[in-house]
């Protein structure tokens, strides 16, 4: 049963039309699955790892975008905001 669920999840992720949305999820799911396996909650670890990995990827993207915006506007610093 577990192999069927795992295979279905893998096929669903690999055939997903929105590949960009998986950024951070795969890496987080692997790490969370391993940690969850050792804690006795592998499936919960996979889901939580995916959610956390996606959140961290979004946060990093936002930080990169903010840095790029600041570089494109020279002379403006964070201290200029009031």
């Amino acid at each position: 049963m577990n192999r069927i669920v795992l295979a279905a999840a893998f096929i669903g992720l690999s055939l997903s039309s929105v590949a960009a949305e998986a950024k951070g999820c795969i890496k987080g799911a692997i790490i969370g699955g391993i940690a969850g396996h050792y804690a006795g909650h592998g499936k919960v670890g996979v889901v939580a790892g995916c959610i956390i990995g996606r959140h961290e990827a979004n946060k990093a993207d936002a930080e990169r975008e903010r840095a790029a915006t600041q570089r494109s506007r020279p002379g403006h610093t964070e201290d200029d905001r009031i």
Side-chain angles (χ1 to χ4, degrees):
M1 180 68 177
N2 286 339
R3 289 183 185 200
I4 294 171
V5 172
L6 183 62
F10 179 75
I11 290 170
L13 282 174
S14 65
L15 296 177
S16 175
S17 63
V18 187
E21 292 298 320
K23 185 176 177 183
C25 179
I26 303 298
K27 183 175 158 184
I30 291 169
I31 294 169
I34 293 169
H37 171 74
Y38 286 110
H41 302 285
K43 293 175 186 145
V44 175
V46 169
V47 172
C50 178
I51 292 169
I52 292 169
R54 184 70 196 131
H55 171 71
E56 292 297 321
N58 283 337
K59 201 163 60 168
D61 286 346
E63 181 64 29
R64 268 189 239 108
E65 186 176 315
R66 185 187 63 75
T69 302
Q70 284 183 348
R71 276 183 274 161
S72 67
R73 296 187 303 160
H76 295 280
T77 62
E78 288 187 30
D79 295 333
D80 291 341
R81 287 189 267 153
I82 297 177

